[in-house]
Amino acid sequence: MAQKPSIPKGTRDFGQLEMARRNYIFDTIRSVFGLYGFQQIETPAMENIGTLMGKYGEEGDKLLFRIQNSGEKAASAPEKGLRYDLTVPFARYVVQHREEIAFPFKRFQIQPVWRADRPQKGRYREFYQCDVDVIGSDSLIGELELIQIVEEVYRRLGIRVCLHINNRKILAGIAEVIGAPDKIVDITVAIDKLDKIGVEAVNAELKERGLSDEQVEALQPILKPTPTLPEGRENDPKAKLASLREYLAGSEIGLKGVAEMEEIFDELSIVNCQLSIDLDLCLARGLNYYTGAIFEVKALDAQIGSITGGGRYDNLTGIFGLPNVSGVGISFGADRIYDVLTELNLFPAALQSSTQVLFAAFGQDELRYALRWAKELRANGIAVEVYPEPAKMKKQMGYADTKQIPFVAIVGGDEMAQNKVMLKNMTSGEQELMELGELVKTLSC
Amino acid sequence: MAQKPSIPKGTRDFGQLEMARRNYIFDTIRSVFGLYGFQQIETPAMENIGTLMGKYGEEGDKLLFRIQNSGEKAASAPEKGLRYDLTVPFARYVVQHREEIAFPFKRFQIQPVWRADRPQKGRYREFYQCDVDVIGSDSLIGELELIQIVEEVYRRLGIRVCLHINNRKILAGIAEVIGAPDKIVDITVAIDKLDKIGVEAVNAELKERGLSDEQVEALQPILKPTPTLPEGRENDPKAKLASLREYLAGSEIGLKGVAEMEEIFDELSIVNCQLSIDLDLCLARGLNYYTGAIFEVKALDAQIGSITGGGRYDNLTGIFGLPNVSGVGISFGADRIYDVLTELNLFPAALQSSTQVLFAAFGQDELRYALRWAKELRANGIAVEVYPEPAKMKKQMGYADTKQIPFVAIVGGDEMAQNKVMLKNMTSGEQELMELGELVKTLSC
């Protein structure tokens, strides 16, 4: 009895169309990264278990896939695990190769990661991450370039987005000026929910988390910054920053955060950035990790959450013995970008088939005639298939249909006698007798 | 105490230059595959353990990496394993998705595989395979196109190669005509060593393996086919096939093999294939798997063994319940191709850096000026880096040197006043003041 084939839950096969579409996303991102001098690295799928353990919290440790050599006893402790993200392997890479690396180090990495999560819609046990970072410089040009990259990637993909930006230093300043510097995590966890649960529920949660009535009251301008800004400028980041500068007057770190944001927005003006940007004081994202700017990108025309995110960090490599290396990075969510492009019907139609023409022959002589023509077309860079046997024309046409090949070049005795082929346009159904030169010209368009 | 970072033995990090070179190989192969209408698929890194076990022999089973969820008890049997090659996942894929697939199915797959082999020079526990197959047709156009692909890939890479070709049916025919049809495996295992150990040792081994003196004697024309061919045509495949036709006159399967080879060589003439091809009757490669043509490609200018290999098979998918599906495929050995290109110094120099120009600024104002220029260059498709702080010029130049960036655009007060930059050619050391338009023109070359 043969086995019924299947794959592990939470994993996926990618067929030809999915691969063409995924490659379109990755190629677009990769070419934009290249314009900014980011270069690709790859790390092994498996890392030593010590490299991974303790880096993702107790919950994360449980989601690691561990690897055993088949020869090893089942009871012996596995020494390796599959990578859980690209961040920890990147930190490990930077420290391990620090003598060879030219800093600032601008790298990107596009590889799968594995998590033993409970599989559910849109959550997989194997999925690709696409991370871009510059490490070894605290210049805000890092932030600037990542924002420019976001602008250009989504411009090329045709997705309208808004970039939400915040700064950990501003959040720390807010906690300071309301007199609760030790409550920064509680504050951010609560205000992060503002969009979902509204201001009343946020205030209730803040009190539950130990803030006094006065502290919650003092926080209100942050939760409703709009009224403090002139009409029509409620969403103007520079006006928001000016208002924040007053609010944070008593906090050195808060003012530093405002200054950083002002510099970033100044530079964005200099490069004439057209991206829609929202200074979003409720944005937190993995707060304990980020130390400066925090980014999150949302698609405007799809309800799908964040499709890109990241921020500035100062101690990524400390755990591996290289402290105080500042960097900034973002991660593009390939699966979600794929879903947005699908939902909005934005994938180029040409991805359906890479083949431009199928040769369909009536007999063995015609088949050999087709092989010669196919060779000439390929020498001109045209993707060609030759149906490999003189099957019934209906079958050959069906193959072209299924693979969505736009043209079929039919070869029978008449065509051979005239040194031509009959080119059928599979969309319009039109047919035309053509010489080789004409065929090359038609298919090169 | 921080951990000293390392990676599991037998695995590798790929830095920027290695990645650029690997991508060059894969992109070259991929674009040739595309010209023939092969399309990419991907399968998950982990397969159900039942999909993998028993497919690679007893030795292979021991080399499987097994996967455990971290949460699972160490003693519980792992249900998943890392893929060991791309062949078994491909067979599984074809059977699982047979309703969606348009046959003949032309697919390629470029993904890592994992084997718990003892690591040694040139043998890794994680390495990429690059497989291309057409399945669901027994037309010899499959063989023809794979040979054309080999020709074109190595032409583009600049590697001179010889394709060795044989046919399982010819080997079966030889075993038949010498009266030892049941000894085909023994015969092929022995004659496969001809190059290494010489004809005397092969004959000795054949006798050890149970062939009679007469049978060994009858085999000699195969081991030394040269004398039977006219001078100057010793390596002419068509002459060899004509000679074989006489030798195999008593074997139906042998003659079928000869006819297949003749058809392939006829078609190769039709498409004017320039590849050096050796009909090599001692070539066997995983004999039990192949049923028709067998291929192996060797670089002529490097001593590195096979860099591509494959053949025709008739029952790849039988184990998963879909018998009698004929296919033909080859696998490109990326690591070995990388080594050949390195040894022969054939990688394009431009792979050293993707960045064409680095902007080096003397101060903050100059830096902002550089950001504006960088934006314009990138809009023209030029890869640009801006050194992110006004560091000492020596440091900025050192960065360009290390990253082998060919040009540095220096921005000081004078340049800004003239609305120009000073472009330094890092190879020649020459400097020239340029306006933006000139800079775009110079860097677009």
Side-chain angles (χ1 to χ4, degrees):
Chain A
M1 173 69 197
Q3 298 163 294
K4 187 162 180 266
S6 65
I7 51 177
K9 60 181 178 177
T11 69
R12 292 168 287 176
D13 284 325
F14 295 115
Q16 306 173 46
L17 179 58
E18 285 159 304
M19 277 305 296
R21 289 178 165 183
R22 291 171 63 85
N23 283 340
Y24 165 71
I25 295 171
F26 290 133
D27 290 346
T28 300
I29 292 174
R30 207 187 328 250
S31 58
V32 175
F33 289 169
L35 285 178
Y36 288 80
F38 287 88
Q39 291 182 298
Q40 191 167 11
I41 68 163
E42 283 191 1
T43 61
M46 49 180 83
E47 295 276 351
N48 291 322
I49 199 75
T51 300
L52 302 173
M53 289 292 285
K55 307 304 189 297
Y56 307 106
E58 216 172 294
E59 278 310 301
D61 283 354
K62 282 190 201 147
L63 301 184
L64 292 173
F65 280 112
R66 289 153 172 271
I67 297 171
Q68 277 187 326
N69 298 6
S70 216
E72 290 170 356
K73 293 270 185 301
S76 72
E79 290 169 353
K80 296 178 285 289
L82 289 176
R83 90 185 139 235
Y84 178 92
D85 68 4
L86 302 180
T87 305
V88 168
F90 174 52
R92 193 266 310 147
Y93 181 96
V94 169
V95 178
Q96 189 175 333
H97 299 278
R98 62 185 180 276
E99 302 299 334
E100 311 138 38
I101 292 173
F103 291 98
F105 181 40
K106 301 175 90 168
R107 89 84 172 79
F108 72 93
Q109 193 168 353
I110 302 176
Q111 291 192 275
V113 302
W114 295 270
R115 298 181 184 176
D117 249 326
R118 185 185 302 273
Q120 51 183 272
K121 188 175 179 303
R123 185 184 292 173
Y124 303 102
R125 293 184 145 195
E126 172 181 69
F127 58 98
Y128 272 74
Q129 288 192 337
C130 174
D131 284 15
V132 58
D133 291 82
V134 51
I135 190 166
S137 162
D138 57 8
S139 164
L140 296 172
I141 289 179
E143 280 81 344
L144 173 75
E145 289 193 345
L146 294 180
I147 296 170
Q148 289 184 284
I149 284 171
V150 165
E151 179 187 19
E152 183 64 11
V153 163
Y154 289 111
R155 192 189 65 74
R156 292 187 183 195
L157 293 176
I159 300 176
R160 297 197 318 129
V161 298
C162 178
L163 176 92
H164 299 257
I165 190 168
N166 197 3
N167 192 302
R168 159 72 183 249
K169 297 187 179 78
I170 290 176
L171 290 168
I174 291 169
E176 256 185 37
V177 299
I178 68 166
D182 56 322
K183 286 272 193 288
I184 176 169
V185 172
D186 288 295
I187 295 169
T188 52
V189 167
I191 69 177
D192 194 34
K193 300 176 187 165
L194 185 62
D195 269 2
K196 282 186 197 141
I197 63 177
V199 71
E200 296 309 322
V202 167
N203 287 341
E205 180 167 338
L206 287 166
K207 287 175 194 171
E208 263 172 49
R209 286 174 176 270
L211 264 71
S212 68
D213 288 357
E214 292 71 29
Q215 289 170 336
V216 172
E217 185 57 32
L219 196 62
Q220 294 311 299
I222 300 303
L223 300 184
K224 300 177 188 168
T226 311
T228 71
L229 291 177
E231 208 171 320
R233 297 193 62 192
E234 297 88 346
N235 289 314
D236 177 346
K238 292 191 182 178
K240 270 195 190 176
L241 286 168
S243 150
L244 258 183
R245 191 170 271 288
E246 291 172 33
Y247 180 85
L248 294 172
S251 163
E252 192 183 338
I253 190 165
L255 291 175
K256 177 132 194 349
V258 171
E260 286 183 8
M261 290 292 104
E262 284 172 341
E263 186 174 335
I264 292 170
F265 280 104
D266 276 356
E267 287 170 353
L268 286 167
S269 304
I270 285 171
V271 298
N272 193 26
C273 179
Q274 299 298 308
L275 191 64
S276 160
I277 301 185
D278 177 26
L279 177 63
D280 179 353
L281 299 177
C282 296
L283 177 66
R285 280 184 77 89
L287 182 75
N288 288 319
Y289 175 63
Y290 295 122
T291 54
I294 305 169
F295 305 110
E296 195 161 88
V297 178
K298 288 183 178 163
L300 292 176
D301 304 313
Q303 300 297 320
I304 204 162
S306 166
I307 55 178
T308 296
R312 164 74 61 180
Y313 45 84
D314 282 335
N315 201 19
L316 177 70
T317 56
I319 189 89
F320 297 115
L322 190 66
N324 302 322
V325 180
S326 187
V328 58
I330 54 175
S331 183
F332 286 84
D335 286 311
R336 286 190 172 179
I337 294 171
Y338 188 102
D339 290 344
V340 171
L341 290 170
T342 305
E343 183 181 331
L344 303 179
N345 202 18
L346 291 173
F347 281 114
L351 297 178
Q352 299 281 338
S353 176
S354 59
T355 303
Q356 288 160 271
V357 62
L358 172 75
F359 277 86
F362 279 104
Q364 286 300 343
D365 288 346
E366 287 87 347
L367 203 43
R368 293 184 164 205
Y369 178 90
L371 290 175
R372 244 192 308 261
W373 280 55
K375 182 190 163 75
E376 296 300 326
L377 293 182
R378 288 177 187 134
N380 283 281
I382 298 164
V384 180
E385 288 187 60
V386 177
Y387 197 88
E389 47 217 47
K392 290 208 175 98
M393 206 38 67
K394 194 181 160 195
K395 189 171 177 190
Q396 301 192 51
M397 291 291 174
Y399 177 81
D401 266 339
T402 310
K403 286 193 77 174
Q404 305 205 28
I405 299 171
F407 293 96
V408 175
I410 301 164
V411 187
D414 288 354
E415 285 82 9
M416 280 173 66
Q418 298 179 68
N419 206 20
K420 295 188 175 178
V421 297
M422 180 66 79
L423 187 70
K424 177 168 180 169
N425 181 320
M426 295 297 282
T427 314
S428 68
E430 282 168 30
Q431 300 197 155
E432 192 179 346
L433 261 182
M434 284 195 183
E435 291 177 349
L436 182 58
E438 294 172 90
L439 186 62
V440 170
K441 216 169 144 187
T442 305
L443 296 173
S444 299
C445 294
Chain B
M1 174 66 198
Q3 299 164 294
K4 187 165 180 268
S6 66
I7 51 178
K9 60 181 179 178
T11 69
R12 292 167 289 176
D13 284 325
F14 295 115
Q16 305 174 46
L17 180 58
E18 285 158 304
M19 277 306 296
R21 289 178 165 182
R22 292 170 63 83
N23 283 340
Y24 165 71
I25 295 170
F26 290 132
D27 289 346
T28 300
I29 293 173
R30 207 187 328 250
S31 59
V32 175
F33 289 170
L35 285 178
Y36 288 79
F38 287 87
Q39 290 181 298
Q40 192 167 11
I41 68 162
E42 283 190 1
T43 62
M46 49 180 84
E47 294 276 352
N48 291 322
I49 199 73
T51 300
L52 302 173
M53 288 293 285
K55 308 302 189 297
Y56 307 106
E58 215 171 297
E59 278 310 300
D61 282 354
K62 283 190 199 146
L63 299 184
L64 291 174
F65 281 112
R66 289 151 171 271
I67 297 171
Q68 277 188 325
N69 298 7
S70 218
E72 290 171 357
K73 292 272 185 300
S76 72
E79 290 169 353
K80 295 178 286 289
L82 289 176
R83 86 183 143 238
Y84 177 92
D85 68 3
L86 301 180
T87 305
V88 168
F90 174 52
R92 193 266 309 146
Y93 180 95
V94 169
V95 178
Q96 189 174 333
H97 299 279
R98 61 185 180 277
E99 302 299 333
E100 310 138 38
I101 292 172
F103 291 98
F105 181 41
K106 301 174 91 168
R107 89 82 171 81
F108 71 93
Q109 192 168 354
I110 302 177
Q111 290 192 278
V113 303
W114 295 269
R115 297 181 184 178
D117 249 327
R118 187 184 301 274
Q120 52 182 267
K121 188 176 179 304
R123 186 184 293 174
Y124 303 101
R125 293 184 146 195
E126 173 181 69
F127 57 98
Y128 273 74
Q129 288 192 337
C130 174
D131 284 15
V132 57
D133 291 81
V134 53
I135 189 166
S137 162
D138 56 9
S139 164
L140 297 171
I141 288 179
E143 280 81 344
L144 173 76
E145 289 193 345
L146 294 180
I147 296 171
Q148 289 184 285
I149 284 172
V150 165
E151 178 187 21
E152 183 63 11
V153 164
Y154 289 111
R155 192 189 65 73
R156 291 187 182 195
L157 292 176
I159 300 176
R160 297 196 318 130
V161 298
C162 178
L163 176 94
H164 299 258
I165 188 169
N166 197 5
N167 192 301
R168 160 73 184 249
K169 296 187 181 78
I170 291 176
L171 290 169
I174 291 169
E176 257 184 37
V177 297
I178 68 166
D182 56 323
K183 286 271 192 290
I184 176 169
V185 172
D186 289 296
I187 294 169
T188 52
V189 167
I191 68 176
D192 194 35
K193 300 177 187 164
L194 185 62
D195 269 0
K196 281 186 199 141
I197 64 177
V199 70
E200 296 308 322
V202 167
N203 287 342
E205 180 168 338
L206 287 166
K207 287 175 192 170
E208 264 172 48
R209 287 175 175 271
L211 265 71
S212 69
D213 288 356
E214 291 71 28
Q215 288 171 335
V216 172
E217 185 58 32
L219 197 61
Q220 295 312 299
I222 299 303
L223 300 182
K224 300 176 189 170
T226 311
T228 71
L229 291 177
E231 207 170 322
R233 296 194 62 191
E234 297 88 345
N235 289 313
D236 176 345
K238 291 192 182 176
K240 271 194 189 176
L241 286 168
S243 150
L244 258 183
R245 191 169 271 288
E246 291 173 33
Y247 181 84
L248 294 171
S251 164
E252 191 183 340
I253 189 164
L255 290 175
K256 177 131 192 351
V258 171
E260 285 183 8
M261 290 293 103
E262 284 171 342
E263 185 174 336
I264 292 170
F265 280 104
D266 277 355
E267 286 171 355
L268 285 167
S269 304
I270 285 171
V271 298
N272 194 26
C273 179
Q274 299 298 309
L275 191 64
S276 160
I277 301 184
D278 177 27
L279 177 63
D280 180 353
L281 299 177
C282 295
L283 177 67
R285 282 185 74 91
L287 182 74
N288 289 318
Y289 176 62
Y290 295 121
T291 53
I294 305 169
F295 306 110
E296 194 161 88
V297 179
K298 288 182 177 163
L300 292 176
D301 305 312
Q303 299 298 318
I304 205 163
S306 167
I307 55 178
T308 297
R312 163 74 60 180
Y313 45 83
D314 281 335
N315 201 17
L316 177 69
T317 55
I319 190 88
F320 297 114
L322 190 66
N324 302 323
V325 181
S326 187
V328 57
I330 54 175
S331 183
F332 286 84
D335 286 312
R336 287 190 171 178
I337 294 171
Y338 188 102
D339 290 345
V340 171
L341 290 170
T342 305
E343 183 182 331
L344 303 178
N345 202 18
L346 290 172
F347 280 113
L351 298 177
Q352 299 282 336
S353 177
S354 58
T355 303
Q356 289 160 271
V357 62
L358 172 74
F359 277 86
F362 279 104
Q364 286 300 342
D365 288 347
E366 287 87 346
L367 204 42
R368 294 184 163 205
Y369 179 90
L371 290 175
R372 244 191 308 259
W373 279 56
K375 183 191 164 75
E376 295 300 327
L377 293 183
R378 289 179 187 131
N380 283 281
I382 298 165
V384 180
E385 288 186 60
V386 177
Y387 197 87
E389 47 217 47
K392 290 211 175 94
M393 207 37 68
K394 194 181 159 194
K395 190 172 178 189
Q396 301 192 51
M397 291 291 174
Y399 176 83
D401 266 339
T402 310
K403 286 193 78 173
Q404 304 203 32
I405 299 171
F407 292 96
V408 174
I410 301 164
V411 187
D414 287 354
E415 285 82 9
M416 281 174 66
Q418 297 178 69
N419 205 20
K420 294 188 175 177
V421 297
M422 179 66 79
L423 187 71
K424 177 168 180 168
N425 181 320
M426 295 297 282
T427 314
S428 68
E430 281 169 32
Q431 300 197 154
E432 193 180 346
L433 261 182
M434 285 195 182
E435 292 176 349
L436 182 58
E438 295 172 90
L439 186 62
V440 170
K441 216 168 145 187
T442 305
L443 296 173
S444 299
C445 296

